[in-house]
């Protein structure tokens, strides 16, 4: 059989972790013929470490044939040793009375340390996906803290937003989710993101032509996708976990195994195209093949889209400004 791939997951005892680990171990992320070793990171806190042990007991009890090993860690340098894939899920949530700026700062410290650890001990080809919020800026910080690794290996999760948009479009058009292609979600993983349906098709036909409702796009669709995370919290009393884990699986699976020509959205360091300053981690359409993503280039940006893309960009520039002093 193939040599095992090492997968690090941080925040492994959290609710996304609980929805994610079993699917990785069952082969849904890296393939049904690909053995995996899980290297799990949690904060040193006794309760978190104990909860992590409990999750590992359950992983044991699944007797997954592809699970070739697993270990629990409280130090990123141990957890990231030789990893091929790193899912950075753990982050500090906003506490009572905490300002947005404080939140940026505590997370900047976490992702600086984890970026450095990846830089020092991970595989030189490690594929990094940041899920923990603010995901794009955390990915930016980790990337900047890992100068010896290729910048393109650092990505942020926009796939949940992409999938949320797909399902809204399928419901509105009455077409199957699987038939919708060429959807884009530009920008930050936050309510400012811009789901762009201008190029979307169903069986080769224009989706906008089928839906034919500009007001719905502007006044219902875009805000619904943007506020979906809040709507889930409102309904469930907890933030999205299973759908977030599912999106992380989709993101890494497509990156490693290929998207078969389909466009998918990934938050990746900008190459300067589409007017996005180089290095900013921004949601863009990509296709993936042989373990590499390629940006979809040359799309026309109209006035409405330019405004939306600049709006979500301005939030990212502000976030970057807020952590700049920590990166020196
Ligand atoms: P939980 O609070 O259930 O779990 C987070 C876990 O991370 C906790 O067990 C905590 O002990 C651990 N942790 C905190 N700091 C850590 C560190 N420095 N090293 C290792 N572990 C650490 O949160 P959960 O619901 O699992 O969400 C995790 C993160 O995903 C949050 O930041 C959340 O905002 C973010 N999300 C991002 C999404 C995206 O699309 N990019 C969507 C879902 C989710 O809201």
């Amino acid at each position: 059989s193939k040599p095992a791939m090492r997968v690090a997951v941080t925040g492994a005892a959290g609710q996304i972790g609980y929805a994610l680990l079993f699917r990785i171990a069952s082969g849904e992320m890296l393939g049904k013929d690909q053995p995996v070793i899980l290297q799990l990171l949690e904060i040193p806190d006794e309760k978190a470490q104990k909860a992590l042990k409990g999750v590992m007991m359950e992983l044991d009890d699944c007797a997954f044939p592809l699970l070739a090993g697993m270990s629990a860690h409280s130090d990123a340098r141990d957890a990231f040793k030789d990893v091929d894939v790193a899912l950075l899920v753990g982050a500090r949530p906003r506490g009572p009375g905490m300002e947005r700026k404080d939140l940026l700062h505590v997370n900047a410290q976490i992702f600086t340390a984890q970026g450095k650890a990846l830089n020092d001990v991970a595989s030189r080809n490690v594929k990094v996906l940041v899920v923990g919020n603010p995901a794009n800026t955390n990915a930016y910080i980790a990337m900047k803290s890992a100068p010896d690794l290729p910048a393109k290996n650092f990505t942020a999760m926009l796939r949940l937003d992409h999938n949320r948009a797909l399902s809204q479009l399928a419901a509105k058009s009455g077409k199957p989710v699987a038939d919708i292609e060429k959807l884009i979600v530009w920008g930050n993983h936050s309510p400012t993101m811009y789901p762009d349906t201008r190029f979307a098709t169903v069986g080769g036909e224009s989706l906008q032509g089928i839906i034919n409702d500009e007001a719905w796009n502007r006044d219902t669709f875009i805000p619904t996708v943007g506020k979906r995370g809040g709507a889930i919290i409102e309904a469930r009393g907890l933030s999205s976990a299973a759908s977030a884990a599912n999106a992380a699986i989709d993101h890494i699976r497509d990156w490693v195994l290929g998207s078969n020509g389909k466009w998918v959205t990934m938050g990746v360091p900008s190459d300067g195209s589409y007017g996005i300053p180089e290095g900013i981690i921004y949601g863009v359409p990509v296709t993936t093949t042989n373990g590499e993503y390629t940006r979809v280039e040359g799309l026309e940006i109209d006035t409405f889209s330019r405004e939306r893309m600049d709006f979500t960009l301005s939030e990212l520039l502000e976030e970057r400004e807020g952590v700049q002093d920590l990166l020196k």
Side-chain angles (χ1 to χ4, degrees):
S1 70
K2 290 183 172 177
M5 284 176 75
R6 295 181 178 273
V7 179
V9 179
T10 75
Q15 56 151 1
I16 294 177
Y18 196 70
L20 180 63
L21 296 174
F22 299 85
R23 296 187 60 190
I24 299 173
S26 75
E28 286 180 65
M29 185 171 83
L30 296 171
K32 294 285 182 185
D33 60 346
Q34 177 59 62
V36 293
I37 297 172
L38 291 173
Q39 303 185 183
L40 308 174
L41 183 68
E42 259 297 341
I43 52 173
D45 173 72
E46 202 181 311
K47 257 177 80 181
Q49 288 294 324
K50 193 172 167 204
L52 177 55
K53 292 282 161 25
V55 176
M56 292 167 75
M57 286 160 68
E58 284 204 75
L59 281 161
D60 271 333
D61 294 349
C62 294
F64 287 118
L66 290 172
L67 185 56
M70 61 179 153
S71 51
H73 303 278
S74 57
D75 184 334
R77 300 179 68 88
D78 300 327
F80 295 161
K81 183 91 182 96
D82 298 329
V83 291
D84 303 294
V85 175
L87 296 165
L88 308 187
V89 178
R92 261 285 285 284
R94 194 191 292 230
M98 206 170 173
E99 304 262 337
R100 191 183 153 78
K101 194 163 167 280
D102 305 328
L103 184 75
L104 261 176
H105 265 233
V106 282
N107 280 301
Q109 281 157 12
I110 293 173
F111 287 84
T112 306
Q114 293 189 355
K116 284 189 174 135
L118 286 165
N119 189 63
D120 293 348
V121 303
S123 157
R124 298 301 84 184
N125 298 316
V126 64
K127 289 180 163 58
V128 182
L129 170 61
V130 178
V131 175
N133 279 319
N136 297 50
T137 296
N138 289 341
Y140 176 81
I141 293 164
M143 173 185 82
K144 288 293 177 192
S145 306
D148 302 331
L149 293 172
K152 68 175 169 56
N153 295 17
F154 288 82
T155 67
M157 192 163 94
L158 271 293
R159 188 61 175 266
L160 180 53
D161 312 298
H162 184 101
N163 287 346
R164 284 168 172 165
L166 270 182
S167 109
Q168 296 293 325
L169 292 169
K172 176 72 176 173
S173 65
K175 303 287 183 184
V177 166
D179 291 357
I180 301 175
E181 297 204 38
K182 300 191 173 172
L183 171 70
I184 305 168
V185 182
W186 300 102
N188 198 7
H189 167 67
S190 95
T192 66
M193 80 191 79
Y194 168 44
D196 180 356
T197 62
R198 292 176 303 134
F199 306 98
T201 60
V202 177
E205 230 188 301
S206 157
L207 182 71
Q208 278 196 345
I210 294 168
I211 293 178
N212 197 18
D213 191 344
E214 215 175 285
W216 177 80
N217 183 62
R218 188 186 56 235
D219 302 330
T220 304
F221 170 68
I222 294 175
T224 300
V225 176
K227 294 181 195 151
R228 187 68 167 181
I232 301 287
I233 294 177
E234 170 66 24
R236 210 171 80 89
L238 287 167
S239 59
S240 323
S243 54
N246 180 69
I249 300 261
D250 283 353
H251 179 117
I252 296 290
R253 186 202 54 226
D254 286 346
W255 192 359
V256 173
L257 299 174
S259 69
N260 297 315
K262 277 204 166 199
W263 294 14
V264 292
T265 299
M266 288 172 70
V268 304
S270 178
D271 63 352
S273 57
Y274 296 118
I276 311 306
E278 210 176 320
I280 290 285
I281 308 268
Y282 195 93
V284 295
V286 300
T287 57
T288 56
T289 178
N290 295 326
E292 300 288 341
Y293 60 81
T294 308
R295 204 175 266 91
V296 177
E297 282 175 24
L299 299 172
E300 201 196 307
I301 306 300
D302 63 13
T303 311
F304 178 77
S305 300
R306 188 73 262 163
E307 276 170 19
R308 294 280 170 165
M309 288 169 70
D310 286 347
F311 180 55
T312 185
L313 171 63
S314 65
E315 185 181 45
L316 282 167
L317 292 174
E318 227 173 79
E319 289 182 11
R320 183 177 70 172
E321 190 55 39
V323 298
Q324 208 61 281
D325 50 323
L326 295 169
L327 289 172
K328 282 180 190 130

